[in-house]
PDB file of all heavy atoms in Angstrom:
ATOM      1  N   HIS B 120      51.697 -97.701  36.442  1.00  0.00           N
ATOM      2  CA  HIS B 120      51.318 -97.623  37.854  1.00  0.00           C
ATOM      3  C   HIS B 120      50.335 -96.477  38.046  1.00  0.00           C
ATOM      4  O   HIS B 120      50.486 -95.423  37.424  1.00  0.00           O
ATOM      5  CB  HIS B 120      52.535 -97.365  38.751  1.00  0.00           C
ATOM      6  CG  HIS B 120      53.515 -98.476  38.784  1.00  0.00           C
ATOM      7  ND1 HIS B 120      54.655 -98.496  38.021  1.00  0.00           N
ATOM      8  CD2 HIS B 120      53.525 -99.629  39.506  1.00  0.00           C
ATOM      9  CE1 HIS B 120      55.323 -99.617  38.267  1.00  0.00           C
ATOM     10  NE2 HIS B 120      54.673-100.316  39.153  1.00  0.00           N
ATOM     11  N   ILE B 121      49.359 -96.706  38.907  1.00  0.00           N
ATOM     12  CA  ILE B 121      48.443 -95.638  39.326  1.00  0.00           C
ATOM     13  C   ILE B 121      48.253 -95.748  40.824  1.00  0.00           C
ATOM     14  O   ILE B 121      48.073 -96.857  41.346  1.00  0.00           O
ATOM     15  CB  ILE B 121      47.095 -95.735  38.589  1.00  0.00           C
ATOM     16  CG1 ILE B 121      47.216 -95.190  37.164  1.00  0.00           C
ATOM     17  CG2 ILE B 121      46.020 -94.969  39.340  1.00  0.00           C
ATOM     18  CD1 ILE B 121      45.923 -95.118  36.421  1.00  0.00           C
ATOM     19  N   THR B 122      48.292 -94.607  41.492  1.00  0.00           N
ATOM     20  CA  THR B 122      48.068 -94.562  42.941  1.00  0.00           C
ATOM     21  C   THR B 122      46.895 -93.643  43.220  1.00  0.00           C
ATOM     22  O   THR B 122      46.873 -92.503  42.737  1.00  0.00           O
ATOM     23  CB  THR B 122      49.306 -94.056  43.686  1.00  0.00           C
ATOM     24  OG1 THR B 122      50.414 -94.932  43.416  1.00  0.00           O
ATOM     25  CG2 THR B 122      49.056 -94.028  45.186  1.00  0.00           C
ATOM     26  N   VAL B 123      45.935 -94.135  43.955  1.00  0.00           N
ATOM     27  CA  VAL B 123      44.779 -93.325  44.345  1.00  0.00           C
ATOM     28  C   VAL B 123      44.524 -93.509  45.832  1.00  0.00           C
ATOM     29  O   VAL B 123      44.928 -94.513  46.422  1.00  0.00           O
ATOM     30  CB  VAL B 123      43.508 -93.692  43.550  1.00  0.00           C
ATOM     31  CG1 VAL B 123      43.714 -93.458  42.061  1.00  0.00           C
ATOM     32  CG2 VAL B 123      43.092 -95.118  43.822  1.00  0.00           C
ATOM     33  N   SER B 124      43.851 -92.547  46.403  1.00  0.00           N
ATOM     34  CA  SER B 124      43.465 -92.637  47.810  1.00  0.00           C
ATOM     35  C   SER B 124      42.161 -93.404  47.934  1.00  0.00           C
ATOM     36  O   SER B 124      41.306 -93.358  47.029  1.00  0.00           O
ATOM     37  CB  SER B 124      43.299 -91.243  48.410  1.00  0.00           C
ATOM     38  OG  SER B 124      44.528 -90.544  48.377  1.00  0.00           O
ATOM     39  N   GLU B 125      42.024 -94.101  49.031  1.00  0.00           N
ATOM     40  CA  GLU B 125      40.786 -94.846  49.267  1.00  0.00           C
ATOM     41  C   GLU B 125      39.604 -93.881  49.257  1.00  0.00           C
ATOM     42  O   GLU B 125      39.656 -92.794  49.858  1.00  0.00           O
ATOM     43  CB  GLU B 125      40.851 -95.597  50.586  1.00  0.00           C
ATOM     44  CG  GLU B 125      39.726 -96.605  50.768  1.00  0.00           C
ATOM     45  CD  GLU B 125      39.936 -97.503  51.974  1.00  0.00           C
ATOM     46  OE1 GLU B 125      40.745 -97.148  52.846  1.00  0.00           O
ATOM     47  OE2 GLU B 125      39.289 -98.565  52.037  1.00  0.00           O
ATOM     48  N   GLY B 126      38.556 -94.273  48.541  1.00  0.00           N
ATOM     49  CA  GLY B 126      37.383 -93.417  48.427  1.00  0.00           C
ATOM     50  C   GLY B 126      37.381 -92.535  47.198  1.00  0.00           C
ATOM     51  O   GLY B 126      36.334 -92.002  46.813  1.00  0.00           O
ATOM     52  N   ALA B 127      38.539 -92.381  46.585  1.00  0.00           N
ATOM     53  CA  ALA B 127      38.630 -91.570  45.376  1.00  0.00           C
ATOM     54  C   ALA B 127      38.131 -92.362  44.179  1.00  0.00           C
ATOM     55  O   ALA B 127      38.013 -93.587  44.215  1.00  0.00           O
ATOM     56  CB  ALA B 127      40.071 -91.119  45.150  1.00  0.00           C
ATOM     57  N   SER B 128      37.853 -91.634  43.111  1.00  0.00           N
ATOM     58  CA  SER B 128      37.418 -92.299  41.887  1.00  0.00           C
ATOM     59  C   SER B 128      38.624 -92.803  41.113  1.00  0.00           C
ATOM     60  O   SER B 128      39.761 -92.360  41.308  1.00  0.00           O
ATOM     61  CB  SER B 128      36.596 -91.334  41.026  1.00  0.00           C
ATOM     62  OG  SER B 128      37.416 -90.254  40.615  1.00  0.00           O
ATOM     63  N   LEU B 129      38.354 -93.745  40.232  1.00  0.00           N
ATOM     64  CA  LEU B 129      39.428 -94.394  39.483  1.00  0.00           C
ATOM     65  C   LEU B 129      39.050 -94.517  38.019  1.00  0.00           C
ATOM     66  O   LEU B 129      37.895 -94.808  37.679  1.00  0.00           O
ATOM     67  CB  LEU B 129      39.666 -95.800  40.042  1.00  0.00           C
ATOM     68  CG  LEU B 129      40.618 -96.714  39.251  1.00  0.00           C
ATOM     69  CD1 LEU B 129      42.053 -96.224  39.380  1.00  0.00           C
ATOM     70  CD2 LEU B 129      40.488 -98.150  39.733  1.00  0.00           C
ATOM     71  N   GLU B 130      40.034 -94.279  37.154  1.00  0.00           N
ATOM     72  CA  GLU B 130      39.864 -94.591  35.739  1.00  0.00           C
ATOM     73  C   GLU B 130      41.157 -95.188  35.216  1.00  0.00           C
ATOM     74  O   GLU B 130      42.219 -94.576  35.304  1.00  0.00           O
ATOM     75  CB  GLU B 130      39.477 -93.370  34.907  1.00  0.00           C
ATOM     76  CG  GLU B 130      39.245 -93.714  33.435  1.00  0.00           C
ATOM     77  CD  GLU B 130      38.605 -92.590  32.639  1.00  0.00           C
ATOM     78  OE1 GLU B 130      38.802 -91.424  33.005  1.00  0.00           O
ATOM     79  OE2 GLU B 130      37.907 -92.895  31.652  1.00  0.00           O
ATOM     80  N   LEU B 131      41.073 -96.376  34.692  1.00  0.00           N
ATOM     81  CA  LEU B 131      42.219 -97.040  34.068  1.00  0.00           C
ATOM     82  C   LEU B 131      42.001 -97.039  32.565  1.00  0.00           C
ATOM     83  O   LEU B 131      40.956 -97.452  32.072  1.00  0.00           O
ATOM     84  CB  LEU B 131      42.360 -98.483  34.578  1.00  0.00           C
ATOM     85  CG  LEU B 131      42.511 -98.659  36.073  1.00  0.00           C
ATOM     86  CD1 LEU B 131      42.691-100.140  36.417  1.00  0.00           C
ATOM     87  CD2 LEU B 131      43.670 -97.859  36.611  1.00  0.00           C
TER      88      LEU B 131
END
Side-chain angles (χ1 to χ4, degrees):
Chain B
H120 294 98
I121 282 186
T122 300
V123 299
S124 297
E125 192 170 18
S128 64
L129 171 71
E130 182 169 28
L131 302 182

